[in-house]
């Protein structure tokens, strides 16, 4: 397997060649990701092979969000201030090109580390993700994500848990 590095999406990246097998995720990178970056709607990070600096092997997006305290399990909610909402980081999209199997874990770990580092400057108590299907849900659950009360596919992972994973 190649060595990879992560960087912000830029004009040098070949988005047109990206294919993860999910048309909505492919379309997002190809047609909307750069606009979201320009409009500050999402931060888009790409995983690039060290030996091919224009190739997008995978990508993920992060943005600020909040979660209603009533949606999180009580054992987590009681550790938070009694505000109606808790600040969170949304891992909006995560995809890897079909040519780079087995790299989803690398993308997720980088996203979690980045979210944790940023939580020190812009508060976030948890990372939220919307799993697109049962397979994606199982992937996230294997890293400790748990379902919120409102939806089985909306999952969260507390920053305190991420801290123990990234140290």
């Amino acid at each position: 397997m190649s060595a990879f590095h992560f960087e912000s999406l830029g004009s040098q990246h070949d988005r047109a060649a990206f294919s993860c097998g999910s048309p909505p995720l492919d379309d997002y990178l190809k047609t909307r990701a750069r606009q979201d970056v320009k409009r500050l709607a999402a931060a888009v990070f790409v995983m690039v092979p060290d030996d091919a600096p224009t190739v997008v092997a995978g990508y993920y997006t992060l943005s600020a969000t909040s979660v209603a305290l009533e949606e999180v399990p009580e054992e987590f909610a009681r550790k938070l201030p009694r505000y109606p909402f808790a600040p969170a980081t949304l891992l909006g999209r995560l995809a890897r090109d079909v040519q780079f199997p087995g790299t989803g874990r690398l993308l997720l770990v980088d996203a979690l580390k980045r979210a944790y580092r940023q939580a020190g400057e812009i508060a976030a108590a948890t990372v939220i993700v919307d799993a697109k299907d049962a397979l994606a849900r199982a992937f996230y659950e294997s890293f400790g994500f748990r379902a919120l009360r409102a939806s089985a596919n909306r999952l969260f992972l507390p920053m305190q848990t991420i801290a123990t994973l990234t140290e």
Side-chain angles (χ1 to χ4, degrees), residues 81-150:
R82 294 292 168 214
Y83 299 125
F85 293 91
T89 298
L90 176 66
L91 175 53
R93 291 172 179 83
L94 184 143
R96 57 117 182 116
D97 191 287
V98 294
Q99 295 181 42
F100 298 93
T103 56
R105 180 182 198 286
L106 297 174
L107 286 157
L108 180 58
V109 168
D110 191 75
L112 294 176
K113 286 180 178 180
R114 191 176 306 271
Y116 178 72
R117 284 191 310 265
Q118 294 304 310
E121 294 192 27
I122 301 172
T126 187
V127 170
I128 303 290
V129 66
D130 292 307
K132 67 182 178 98
D133 56 29
L135 188 62
R137 186 176 63 243
F139 171 75
Y140 290 115
E141 288 174 341
S142 74
F143 287 89
F145 279 83
R146 296 178 44 203
L148 292 172
R149 292 180 184 174

Side-chain angles (χ1 to χ4, degrees), residues 23-45:
L25 292 172
D26 290 344
D27 179 64
Y28 175 79
L29 183 65
K30 292 173 182 179
T31 65
R32 296 192 331 253
R34 291 284 311 268
Q35 289 302 313
D36 276 1
V37 170
K38 286 180 186 174
R39 295 177 180 147
L40 302 177
V44 182
F45 299 94

Side-chain angles (χ1 to χ4, degrees), residues 2-8 12-13 45-55 57-58 106-107 110 114:
S2 298
F4 300 96
H5 65 274
F6 295 85
E7 58 193 34
S8 295
Q12 75 276 19
H13 298 116
F45 299 94
V46 293
M47 181 174 68
V48 178
D50 288 345
D51 58 357
T54 63
V55 172
L106 297 174
L107 286 157
D110 191 75
R114 191 176 306 271

